[in-house]
Amino acid sequence: MNRAVRFDETGGPDVLRLEEVPLPQPGPGEVMIRTRALGLNRAESMFRLGQYGTYPVFPSGIGYEAAGVVEALGEGVHGLSVGNAVSVVPSFTMNDYPVHGEAVLAPAHAVVVHPERLSFEEAASVWMQFVTAYGGLVDVAGIRAGDTVLISAASSSVGLAAIQIAHKAGARAIALTRTSAKRQQLLDAGADDVIATTEEDVPARVRELTDGQGARIVFDPVGGTALADLVTAAAPGAVLVLYGVLDRTPTPLNISEVLFKRLTLRGFTLFEITTDSQRRADAVAFVTDGLAKGELTPTIDRTFPLEDIADAHRYLEVGGQVGKIVVTVGHDATS
């Protein structure tokens, strides 16, 4: 039996089902993986809703992240062997390679032998979060020691990854979260300071924390009305990296502030890194090094069995998690 997560129409988690599908056979440049754990991201929710950058082709599979064991290799695949414990770097569309299933195909360039110290659950939690944070902070913003970084939606898996990468670079991480409910968890996760955006004056608090200088980097997946405060909180010459649009309401923007503070507002997506072979290799090397040294560690909020995939999506959409939601495949999801 080989089951995959499928859906025939856009909508809420109830459109998802587990369906028996033929065992896939890898073509040239492809790898067949028997999965043990699957990473769940906001991207899957948006894809299922028809709100992502690519629209699902029905009947549609889903899923960007998986970890498991190589079961077969297609022609021309080098550097991997049957039996390798691997995980998948999102660098393809979900229409081409949906990886939420029991046995899945992935392009060989996206398959990485992960550090042995990682469990399969942890390995399924690595690439979306750490490559997104690496891309925005290191590749795009050029983070350096002494920088102050504002990290919106800090309790998300990407937000937690950004805190760790800021520390790896010698920078100061200020976590932004809607209320004080997650303050202690974010401090425990390494945030140097936490600002509750609905309870505090964000620009005033940032000025207080930075001796009036503001933040040199802003890392934001939200947009919407809150972006105006982030512009005000930014230091002269700051880079604002916008990697999501969780708030789709119109964004008020003080153009004079952008102009006279010489701000850079930079849109960024993970695929800018993962579809460029050199930048992808640099990102994988950076993350693998950090994982091996223990400088980077994925945070798992909760796991669900594959049979409860719809419940996992429901939990994701509530937005109460701190870290990654992982779906386990089979009875044993450890390496």
Side-chain angles (χ1 to χ4, degrees):
M1 181 173 67
N2 178 42
R3 298 177 299 173
V5 182
R6 309 275 283 180
F7 62 113
D8 290 320
E9 59 181 330
T10 58
D14 288 340
V15 302
L16 298 174
R17 68 183 188 280
L18 274 179
E19 180 179 303
E20 287 199 36
V21 296
L23 192 69
Q25 299 301 314
E30 294 181 333
V31 179
M32 197 263 271
I33 301 168
R34 183 68 67 172
T35 66
R36 304 288 286 280
L38 315 172
L40 188 57
N41 304 283
R42 184 67 61 175
E44 280 91 13
S45 172
M46 294 175 68
F47 183 69
R48 190 198 71 235
L49 289 165
Q51 298 174 354
Y52 199 56
T54 55
Y55 197 82
V57 176
F58 299 118
S60 180
I62 196 169
Y64 270 136
E65 288 189 284
V69 176
V70 174
E71 188 156 305
L73 300 171
E75 182 182 352
V77 176
H78 304 287
L80 295 168
S81 301
V82 172
N84 282 156
V86 297
S87 47
V88 179
V89 180
S91 52
F92 43 81
T93 74
M94 285 185 269
N95 283 323
D96 291 332
Y97 291 101
V99 299
H100 282 185
E102 293 176 325
V104 300
L105 296 180
H109 71 256
V111 180
V112 176
V113 178
H114 54 254
E116 291 182 2
R117 63 184 293 270
L118 296 183
S119 68
F120 282 111
E121 293 103 328
E122 290 170 326
S125 306
V126 165
W127 298 111
M128 180 71 82
Q129 61 174 310
F130 283 113
V131 175
T132 300
Y134 163 89
L137 298 182
V138 178
D139 186 281
V140 171
I143 192 171
R144 55 183 182 259
D147 280 342
T148 294
V149 185
L150 297 185
I151 301 169
S152 301
S155 61
S156 69
S157 59
V158 176
L160 296 174
I163 292 171
Q164 295 182 31
I165 287 176
H167 286 167
K168 183 172 168 61
R172 180 184 188 185
I174 299 178
L176 305 183
T177 184
R178 291 187 67 255
T179 72
S180 297
K182 298 176 183 177
R183 182 183 298 275
Q184 190 57 52
Q185 288 170 287
L186 288 168
L187 291 171
D188 292 344
D192 295 290
D193 297 283
V194 177
I195 300 174
T197 59
T198 61
E199 300 169 10
E200 301 177 73
D201 183 324
V202 174
R205 185 75 176 119
V206 172
R207 284 194 299 271
E208 178 186 338
L209 292 171
T210 61
D211 296 325
Q213 296 180 12
R216 195 188 77 80
I217 300 173
V218 176
F219 189 55
D220 178 53
V222 181
T225 56
L227 185 59
D229 278 347
L230 301 184
V231 167
T232 301
V239 180
L240 288 80
V241 180
L242 311 176
Y243 70 97
V245 282
L246 294 177
D247 182 354
R248 293 177 176 267
T249 58
T251 299
L253 200 59
N254 185 333
I255 298 301
S256 294
E257 223 173 356
V258 175
L259 173 64
F260 292 111
K261 288 171 71 172
R262 308 178 310 283
L263 303 180
T264 298
L265 273 67
R266 173 67 151 78
F268 166 76
T269 70
L270 168 82
F271 300 99
E272 182 178 333
I273 302 293
T274 62
T275 58
D276 180 304
S277 59
Q278 185 57 58
R279 293 169 81 187
R280 181 178 65 246
D282 291 344
V284 169
F286 178 95
V287 173
T288 300
D289 177 72
L291 291 168
K293 292 178 178 176
E295 296 171 330
L296 305 179
T297 303
T299 300
I300 297 173
D301 178 271
R302 185 173 171 185
T303 63
F304 290 81
L306 181 61
E307 291 74 17
D308 293 342
I309 185 67
D311 287 339
H313 276 246
R314 291 186 191 97
Y315 184 70
L316 172 75
E317 293 183 347
V318 170
Q321 73 272 16
V322 177
K324 193 83 163 191
I325 299 166
V326 174
V327 174
T328 57
V329 182
H331 65 277
D332 178 10
T334 58
S335 59

